[in-house]
Amino acid sequence: PARYPPPIPALSHLAFHVTDLDGARRFYGGVLGCREGRSTATWVDFDFEGHQLSLHLGQPFHTERTGRVGDHLVPMPHFGLVLELPAWQAMAGRLRQAGTAFVLEPQVRYPGEPGEQWTMFFCDPFGNPIEIKGFRSLEGLYAT
């Protein structure tokens, strides 16, 4: 039988647009705590909890609030992370301390049920939507 989450054999890479690399450095490096990697005058890489984000100068992608989370509509498409609960709580604290405007405030979903999870939605300074999920154990990621 499969074990969830299965061991990660590879890391993901996501490249998208931002309109200001210095602003991206302040948010991704300063607020989210991502380690900066290589860069040029037109792009910068960040270590997003082990996954590579490549932020390029350009117009951010179009999103619409069409995703339903409970009674709330959240931006689609979006990207994010799944963290163990202590790391999720630390990130929520950093975002609150930075004055981040949440699309969906940090909260628990499905309390006491299989798949119990904490979630929060916010946008980077360029409008790119991000969801961060938290689990007591990553084994609960695919629980039904």
Side-chain angles (χ1 to χ4, degrees):
R3 186 176 85 66
Y4 292 102
I8 298 174
L11 299 175
S12 63
H13 162 82
L14 178 63
F16 56 93
H17 287 135
V18 297
T19 57
D20 174 31
L21 295 181
D22 288 334
R25 285 180 168 101
R26 284 190 297 276
F27 183 76
Y28 286 91
V31 176
L32 296 184
C34 299
R35 184 175 56 87
E36 185 173 330
R38 292 176 297 167
S39 65
T40 70
T42 62
W43 59 265
V44 60
D45 283 345
F46 286 98
D47 176 349
F48 192 52
E49 297 290 328
H51 303 280
Q52 184 188 45
L53 294 183
S54 293
L55 311 183
H56 294 255
L57 287 176
Q59 185 61 41
F61 56 86
H62 174 75
T63 64
E64 292 184 43
R65 288 191 183 204
T66 58
R68 186 164 297 281
V69 175
D71 294 331
H72 303 278
L73 291 176
V74 297
M76 295 294 289
H78 60 264
F79 70 98
L81 289 172
V82 176
L83 301 172
E84 289 190 331
L85 190 54
W88 182 91
Q89 291 167 327
M91 184 172 287
R94 286 195 313 271
L95 289 162
R96 282 190 168 125
Q97 186 174 10
T100 302
F102 289 95
V103 173
L104 184 63
E105 289 283 334
Q107 60 188 265
V108 66
R109 298 190 71 214
Y110 317 117
E113 297 179 30
E116 178 181 74
Q117 61 187 264
W118 286 257
T119 190
M120 59 182 142
F121 274 85
F122 55 94
C123 293
D124 73 9
F126 317 100
N128 295 306
I130 303 169
E131 178 184 18
I132 308 295
K133 293 183 178 189
F135 288 84
R136 288 187 198 279
S137 166
L138 297 182
E139 302 261 337
L141 181 60
Y142 299 105
T144 58

